[in-house]
Amino acid sequence: MRLILLGPPGAGKGTQALRLVAKYGIVQLSTGEMLRAAVKAATPVGREVQEIMARGGLVPDSVVVSIVGQRIEQPDARKGFILDGFPRTVPQAVALDRMLATRGLGLDAVIELRVDEDALVRRIESRIAEMKERGEELRPDDNPEVLHNRLRAYRQQTAPLIAYYRHQEVLRTVNGMAPIADVTAAIDKVLPSDPPAGAREADGKKKSEELNS
Ligand code: ADP
């Protein structure tokens, strides 16, 4: 199973990704987490992107495309993966299509978590307040001003992917404003199930025909 979770910051992509990882035994590939790890380790990539991330801008396509390209080559991604935070621009989506095509792979679904922007800002602000209360470490980009930039980047550069994937007929939209368990149930409903029995039979028939010929 190869999936993309699409939605603005705070839409619940990470939460739903964890549920899908457990359900399908596939890995979650979060470009945000990979980049934060690079920043923390002060690698050359980390040093290049640190400031952009702190401002809430998007890091260059070439950087994330190369990170994802290497990551999906790892053995643990063979069974499938959930991309969380990638692609975020149309050129990234085109690069992903190419990467998958050269490996003879495709996407099973792109799940769009649709949320209301005002509610989103309130959701993130309360998440920040709760984390502060618990004394947890905040991300440098978790503040109201930077959040505004992250939302703008989403509207301008990522939202066009909705039409891109609708055109490819892989887009599945669910209401991200519902309670967590309801969003999970809605995602389960839109994901492709096993191939229908008819398809399996046809496949078996084809194989026996090949054997007989
Ligand atoms: P969120 O979805 O909550 O904004 P992420 O953890 O997905 O956070 O990403 C954090 C930051 O990492 C982004 O604001 C951006 O600077 C950078 N980033 C992550 N993924 C990408 C990507 N695919 N393309 C460009 N920048 C990215």
Side-chain angles (χ1 to χ4, degrees):
M1 178 85 75
R2 279 170 299 276
L3 305 170
I4 292 176
L5 280 171
L6 192 60
K13 299 187 294 290
T15 306
Q16 295 302 330
L18 288 181
R19 313 282 290 255
L20 291 164
V21 162
K23 181 163 183 210
Y24 293 104
I26 53 182
V27 288
Q28 173 193 8
L29 308 183
S30 157
T31 43
E33 273 170 27
M34 293 182 220
L35 292 168
R36 277 189 289 280
V39 169
K40 209 165 166 204
T43 65
V45 165
R47 280 197 292 270
E48 182 186 343
V49 303
Q50 181 165 23
E51 218 200 303
I52 304 173
M53 289 177 73
R55 279 201 314 266
L58 294 187
V59 314
D61 290 336
S62 57
V63 173
V64 278
V65 167
S66 120
I67 291 181
V68 171
Q70 287 167 29
R71 187 62 187 85
I72 64 175
E73 286 287 318
Q74 303 296 310
D76 64 347
R78 210 167 291 150
K79 266 181 79 181
F81 47 77
I82 304 167
L83 290 169
D84 163 8
F86 179 90
R88 244 180 171 89
T89 65
V90 171
Q92 288 179 21
V94 172
L96 175 66
D97 281 346
R98 223 176 275 144
M99 274 190 251
L100 293 176
T102 57
R103 294 169 173 82
L105 304 173
L107 290 169
D108 292 280
V110 176
I111 300 161
E112 181 207 355
L113 294 176
R114 187 166 290 173
V115 288
D116 166 80
E117 215 176 277
D118 290 339
L120 205 61
V121 174
R122 286 197 299 275
R123 198 191 262 189
I124 301 182
E125 281 171 355
S126 68
R127 187 168 77 185
I128 294 174
E130 282 165 21
M131 286 177 72
K132 267 191 189 153
E133 230 166 71
R134 289 196 298 261
E136 290 171 12
E137 200 186 328
L138 286 174
R139 274 166 47 178
D141 58 349
D142 264 342
N143 70 65
E145 200 189 308
V146 177
L147 174 60
H148 188 76
N149 291 340
R150 282 157 62 198
L151 285 171
R152 191 172 48 211
Y154 180 81
R155 266 198 308 271
Q156 293 178 347
Q157 291 172 272
T158 310
L161 293 179
I162 293 168
Y164 181 90
Y165 287 120
R166 186 178 292 131
H167 186 72
Q168 289 193 2
E169 298 183 358
V170 284
L171 187 76
R172 307 283 177 266
T173 301
V174 303
N175 173 18
M177 299 311 298
I180 292 176
D182 294 2
V183 178
T184 306
I187 291 176
D188 284 346
K189 245 172 116 180
V190 299
L191 283 182
S193 47
D194 284 344
R200 265 202 297 269
E201 267 166 36
D203 199 32
K205 194 164 158 245
K206 208 173 119 219
K207 282 212 184 81
S208 67
E209 273 165 8
E210 276 163 12
L211 282 174
N212 292 335
S213 64

